[in-house]
Amino acid sequence: MEELCGLGAAASLRGEAEEPKQGSVLFLGGNEVKSSAVVKYSSAPPQAAFARLQEKTDLKLPPANWLRESAKLGPAGTTILGNNKKSKPFSSFGMAYDFIDSVGNDVDVVSDSENIKKLLKIPYSKSHVSMAVHRIGRTLLLDELDIQELFMRSSQTGDWTWLKEFYQRLIDQKWQRKKKSKEHWYQKAILSKFLYYSINGDGAAQPVPSTSKQHQEGPVSGESDEAGRASWPAPFEMPSSLSEDPGASNQGLKNDFVRNILWTFEDIHMLVGSNMPIFGGGRYPAVSLRLRDNNKPINVLTGIDYWLDNLICNVPELVMCFHVNGIVQKYEMIKTEDIPNLENSNFSTKVIKDIAQNILSFLKSNCTKEGHTYWLFKASGSDIVKLYDLTTLCEETEDKYQNPFTMPVAILLYKVACNMMLKKNQNKKHYGTIRTLLLNCLKLLDNGRHPQIIASANYMLSELFQLDEPKKEDSTDFPINGNSDESYSEEEEEMPDSDENGSYSNSSDPPDDNKAVAIIKSVGELSVPEKYKSVHRIRPSCAFPVCHGTEERCRLVLNYVLEGLKSVDSSVKKEGDLPAADPSTPIPLKYEDESTSGGPECLEKQMALFLDKMGSFQKGKHSSQSGMVPGSWQYKMKLQLILKSSKAYYVLSDAAMILQKYGRALRYIKLALQCHDTYCCLCASMLPEVLVFLCQCLTLCGDIQLMLAQNANNRAAYLEEYNYQTKEDQEILHSLHRESRCQVFAWATDLSTDLECQLSVSCKCYEAAYEILLFSNLKNQNPEQHIQVLKRMGNIRNEIGVFYMNQAAAVQTERVGNKNVSTTEQQLWKKSFSCFEEGIQNFESIDDATNAALLLCNTGRLMRICAQAHCATEGDFKREFSPEEALYYNKAIDYYLKALRSLGKRDVHPAVWDSVNWELSTTYFTMATLQQDYAPLSRKAQEQIEKEVSEAMMKSLKYCDVDTVSARQPLCQYRAATIHHRLASMYHSCLRNQVGDEHLRKQHRVLADLHYSKAVRLFQLLKDAPCEFLRVQLERVAFAEFQMASQNSSAGKLKTLFGALDIMAKTKSAFQLIRKELVAESEQISKDKSSAENMSPNDSSAGLNKEEVLKLLSIFESRMSFLLLQSIKLLTSTKKKIGGINEEEAVLKTNKQVYSLLLRATANKSMALLERTEVILNLLEQLAQNAEAGNGGIQ
């Protein structure tokens, strides 16, 4: 179970460990007391067998080896023989520093074994008790507070006068130094000589000259007296030695015990220091030696002393040497478990256990404030034990450093926090404890004296807040309450306990007790089992603070960083320093107007300078304006603090970005980059993770500048956010300006009002980030970052390309009367094309097919804009489709096809795939339409043009998806219907103008009929294109009339006529749609008659083009009138020739009736559009009823 000290380096300095010793469970007097001891560390030499002295040996004569070092004693010298049993006032701190892992967590008490024994003997002893108690986490540190030594020192130096006055006023008014008796020194001397004889080897006394008799008293008394007095350190006045070496040995903080033992007594875990000599040679591996006067029986106090010493050191046997007046009489062996049953020394081990538990509970319940020095005091002969808070009493004086415990406590709090922070996989549930330790440490320190610890503690506090966590509510990260013991509060107010514990009520006590924190009214209470329960009336202030958002968390971090920076700056010699800034005067944040901006060209220079500076880090050009020495603690700490503040500002910027507060986001990223600039100025070599973080900052800055460009309408609000500054930010900036001008990233963080400049800055930020990844070879180690930067570069180049493309389109729109393309337009095309090309390369380099396809699509759109720019103005009647237009449209088609190849198949990204298909279909359709409407007859033959138009239209149809259900489906159907209509019209036109080649005519007739029928079918599917549907049907009627003109037989003509009338009858659905629109419009007009002025003049045309409807209606009436007249003539002549047929007579009768009604309707010029529509619908209804009859009669 024995093991070396947890602090390996410290352990190796202090000698070898003892032989392993097993923990033991002892059964004493029928009452079981569990006790186990593990020697954590020992500097004692291997155990030598004790030398049994011959009877009649005179212990008054000193042995020859007395007070000399020997090989058997080892380096520990006289200490191992216990010559000086006085406990040093800071002994527990020395142990705590060496076993920092145990402090605050696993161990309940750290103390010298003498102090533990003194506490456990309180109910049996009349002697006084005076101890200092400190709390670190759940651990109590106990040290002897020797009032006599203290007040002797006070008389000489003036220290501790406040405590001396308090003691004399309230406790012992006639205090005076008590001198030790001659008997005391005599007993110490013969014990010392006895132990030296026991290691002598030959067992014989070796007398020395008689002149040396003075040694019997002189050296011993002098040595003991001085040892106790010299151990008190002076109050801490020299900050330099403290800050550099907090555990300096000259401060009395060494762990100079021979053994450090982890002793578990029942459920109490104690780290104990012991100097008890242990020998071999008995029936067991280890024994302890004791010297007793045969004339004096062993009393209870001595028995408890021996028993506890053996338990603590795990020694199973006691060897007792009896003497009379210094002459050895006999030896006696006693087992440790038999000690409580010795004659005249009977005591209950169960009671000792209860005393231990009660005292620990009493102290834990009342010593609640970390960093405070408590004083446990029992006056000699008194039954009352009192606990005072010396820190509170000391605060009434001028200087808290009048308390010598202040610094050791502060440093221990700091060390425990450091140790907890450094543990790997530190559980976040301890963060609350670490924070409390550090805050209490800072309360005890003075900035002028201890800047290094203050700066370091503030940095650690800032490190507790994880800035790089995913964004989520922090309440889930940390427990709101700590664990029982760890949840003590440094601001706790004591509340009177219930009477059963009887420790807090002071109603019956003397008036001086109001200064005591707590009182044990009678030492007898300590023997009552569980009289004092460990009551923790504690608020969960040790819990980690719940931050209700990212901003609050970052602000806490920046607050600690600022305190750390102040501490560092105050400790740096101010030689030729900057003049002190007035914190109330804001440091101006540069605001750039487009009038003063140098534009993209100026940006290029700034970028080049920045990248040159980044490269110079490899050569080690760096300096601090404030004169900090590289490698000093100030230098290292400031670097860490600056980097932390940079990260905090980055997180704040990111959070503001998510909230769309882009002005605030830019301000924070500016501060983050200014911190980074200072870091760069100080740092000799950039760590890869710091460079990666710089890339993240520049990337975020690029994002913010892009969002500012896209939200230009809120510029005033963003400017206000950007210029706002907190006092904290100003003070951090002031600290940064001590080291650097913070202007390296000014080009990236200025708020411009020019859109082009903002887009350029955004692009440059991404380029800078990419360059850093490239030249520092971080690309492969950070593939995700590399991909993100390239993706953003591709995106911003697309944005800039679209910006220039839109500008070119705007210039083109404004161009009036000038047929030639301007140089400005051409320049804008080149810029736009260049951006798209670079963006495509970025996306292709990371295999981002979707975005590459979108940029190819935009390049296609740019080509179409170029094509539109080359078309002649509308006033030119000789307008023809030019070769330049054809060239650019074909280039556009190439880019769209490349986009489709990049995607590969629709499954990759259906929306983008459909979009590219639509754009490609549109390009083919536009090109075909222009060729058809502005045929280049001066360059090409009609047949060639018709062939090209037909091919382009068919390709447009190929990429026009009419079947897939989507938001674009109606558009696709309309496009397809229009294509079929145009093709049908073209073939119809060819048929009219063509002479000869009957085979070709027949082919054109079939194609015209096919495309007309397809156009009709598609227009019928659409519910918002009645005019287009009507126009196609009228063209089909005209096509039928054209065919009829070439027919000779009456039957053939009649068949064609009835076919044409059937087409007319099928237009009923179109007229119904027109009527529906007209009725809705008239209802709206009547509803708004009272407020006619509110109606927009365009409201009616939004749904229906009345002019178009009137035009088509007139043609329809005219063609219907013509067809009916022709049918009446043909039917009449047929009837005369071959006699009447019943069906034909009925058709003739209906046709005449319809014709008559139609003539009357057309004659009435005052009839409204709605009425005319109603008449047509009525006539079509009648025709439709007889259509079947007519078809049946003509065979």
Side-chain angles (χ1 to χ4, degrees), residues 379-410:
S380 184
S382 169
D383 269 358
I384 299 171
V385 183
K386 297 176 184 177
L387 185 73
Y388 296 96
D389 182 348
L390 291 189
T391 304
T392 309
L393 294 173
C394 181
E395 280 166 2
E396 295 168 10
T397 67
E398 289 179 11
D399 186 2
K400 66 181 171 187
Y401 295 97
Q402 277 283 317
N403 178 358
F405 285 104
T406 300
M407 263 312 291
V409 171

Side-chain angles (χ1 to χ4, degrees), residues 973-1033:
Q973 288 171 337
Y974 185 84
R975 164 77 50 78
T978 308
I979 290 170
H980 284 301
H981 179 200
R982 276 187 164 269
L983 284 171
S985 298
M986 186 179 79
Y987 291 127
H988 184 175
S989 174
C990 291
L991 203 58
R992 282 177 181 278
N993 301 329
Q994 214 166 24
V995 184
D997 197 346
E998 194 56 39
H999 172 70
L1000 197 60
R1001 283 175 63 81
K1002 186 179 179 183
Q1003 193 180 355
H1004 282 163
R1005 190 183 300 114
V1006 171
L1007 285 168
D1009 197 43
L1010 174 73
H1011 286 297
Y1012 274 133
S1013 59
K1014 283 186 177 180
V1016 166
R1017 197 185 79 249
L1018 285 163
F1019 277 130
Q1020 271 181 314
L1021 290 172
L1022 298 163
K1023 300 297 178 192
D1024 56 352
C1027 294
E1028 287 84 347
F1029 179 54
L1030 202 52
R1031 192 180 293 108
V1032 174
Q1033 291 290 55

